[in-house]
Amino acid sequence: MSQSPHPFHLISLSILLLSSISSSQAKVDTFTYVNQGEFGPYVTEYGADYRILPIGNVPFEMAFYNTTPGAFYLALRMGTTRSESVFRWVWEANRGRPVGENATFSLLPDGNLVLADADRRNVWSTGTANKGVVGLMVLPTGNIILYDSKDRTIWQSFDHPTDTLLVGQSLDYNKGPKKLVSRRSATDGSYGIYSLVFQPGGIKLFINDYIPYYDFSVNGVLSFSGNPILLEVEPETDEDAFAYAYEVRFATAGQGTTILTRPKYNATLSFLRLDIDGNLVVYTYYDPVDYRAWEKTFALFSDQIGLLPGCALPSKCSKFGVCQDEMCIACPSPVGLLGWSNGCVPPQVKGCDNKGKGQTEDYYKIVGVENFVSTYTKGEGKVKMEECRRKCTMDCKCVGFLYWEKESKCWLANFLGTLSKVDESSHVVYVKYLKN
């Protein structure tokens, strides 16, 4: 004879079923915002027009913005109207994939956060459908999160950085975001040519993903330990009220910290950015002031506030030039050093697509200069200049070569950019050009 279920088992089963139903049917705080209406009145970074959304946490607000007509990005801006300072854009959802007028930003009943164009084509989403999401929130740190009924984070913008790290955000080689990529230009928010990459050897800066122009592990500035690297801000004393300076720094568990800058005021509202020109900078916002609340408190390549000379920045002289004391002083040419201007560009070469058919390639020499190539790429020692030249000529990607005459050392260069003036006249650069 079969036994009746014990009352306790029935109660437990009922509770389990109710819990399951409650969890699966948790109400989502849905919304839909349409990209339409008047633009905001305040000055923003990149000269952008914008439409504010009612989602934020001071000093952060979400918005649609554009720098070219009809091409909008869903983004997070930082700043307040009270300070009358420029608003800065610190995160974008649909980078490189702009939407148009009447695009919609929605948290759907299934918990997916979606940006769709006016034709209902999905441009970007968090991929969080049916994962228990009940709402969206912007935290005081600027982290945009989707959370469930137990306040657990299901998705967060901190896992998807663009060109910026906010305080409390990290890079994680093992399981998190590993990369920042610069904007292409002030008017083009798509991916630029500069990147910061966290890899087994540590953090490095690259041009076009393969040409290194800085390595944080050089001279032990910040070597790899296998743990996440966190951007943090801490007062120099344990008592905030008596802190006369704040440290903006990289922190790594088990390794310590690398201080980037020490503003003499509360620097909690800071962020690190890989800028359009490839420089790594810290911008700090101090909202108690009424005017010019932003300050650039660190620049990796800067004689005044950085770790490296300003002339070591590959783009210091825009596309090409000779730099001394953070000033672009000359434009190299086959006929010698000319006056520098923004129009200074490297000479045309055949390249791998064989431009300049019928023309021959030659080289002109610049004496007493260096660039990042000799510091962060491996050269070849005890090589005659003629052999170094031959190798560059045979390599369609090579645009010139660095040669240290005393050491007979050779570096082939796929990118020249800014050349730093040095006292050592035996350090020379040969620039490839098309000869008529």
Side-chain angles (χ1 to χ4, degrees), residues 19-32 55 106-113 126-138 145-155:
S19 175
S20 176
I21 292 170
S22 174
S23 175
S24 63
Q25 296 181 351
K27 183 175 174 59
V28 180
D29 190 7
T30 61
F31 60 77
T32 294
I55 302 173
S106 307
L107 181 56
L108 302 179
D110 64 5
N112 202 14
L113 189 65
T126 54
T128 51
N130 303 313
K131 293 187 177 180
V133 169
V134 298
L136 177 147
M137 180 187 302
V138 179
I145 67 166
L146 296 176
Y147 58 91
D148 67 10
S149 59
K150 295 183 179 179
D151 289 332
R152 294 175 299 195
T153 298
I154 305 301
W155 178 94

Side-chain angles (χ1 to χ4, degrees), residues 136-321:
L136 177 147
M137 180 187 302
V138 179
L139 300 181
T141 58
N143 191 11
I144 305 166
I145 67 166
L146 296 176
Y147 58 91
D148 67 10
S149 59
K150 295 183 179 179
D151 289 332
R152 294 175 299 195
T153 298
I154 305 301
W155 178 94
Q156 59 179 353
S157 61
F158 269 21
D159 287 339
H160 307 275
T162 50
D163 59 358
T164 298
L165 280 184
L166 292 167
V167 172
Q169 195 169 6
S170 62
L171 296 175
D172 188 345
Y173 173 74
N174 294 308
K175 59 180 180 180
K178 304 172 179 63
K179 192 174 186 179
L180 301 179
V181 182
S182 66
R183 289 174 65 96
R184 185 165 295 276
S185 70
T187 56
D188 184 351
S190 62
Y191 295 95
I193 67 171
Y194 302 102
S195 57
L196 179 152
V197 182
F198 189 10
Q199 52 185 215
I203 290 182
K204 293 182 180 180
L205 299 177
F206 289 93
I207 300 170
N208 294 327
D209 286 331
Y210 75 98
I211 304 172
Y213 67 99
Y214 185 66
D215 183 345
F216 273 91
S217 66
V218 172
N219 300 323
V221 174
L222 185 65
S223 56
F224 177 71
S225 68
N227 294 316
I229 293 176
L230 173 74
L231 182 69
E232 67 176 18
V233 174
E234 292 290 339
E236 287 194 335
T237 72
D238 292 333
E239 300 179 43
D240 287 13
F242 299 98
Y244 295 102
Y246 280 67
E247 295 178 352
V248 182
R249 62 199 188 190
F250 281 133
T252 307
Q255 185 179 338
T257 61
T258 298
I259 298 171
L260 302 177
T261 182
R262 288 186 176 93
K264 293 180 175 61
Y265 51 84
N266 190 330
T268 302
L269 296 176
S270 295
F271 66 80
L272 179 80
R273 173 181 287 167
L274 185 60
D275 243 340
I276 295 168
D277 62 0
N279 209 348
L280 191 65
V281 301
V282 171
Y283 291 99
T284 300
Y285 186 72
Y286 188 57
D287 60 351
V289 302
D290 293 329
Y291 181 63
R292 292 188 176 180
W294 287 104
E295 181 182 4
K296 184 186 289 187
T297 52
F298 170 80
L300 179 62
F301 298 92
S302 170
D303 290 358
Q304 285 76 42
I305 58 173
L307 301 178
L308 299 169
C311 287
L313 180 66
S315 65
K316 179 64 180 178
C317 294
S318 189
K319 294 182 179 180
F320 196 42

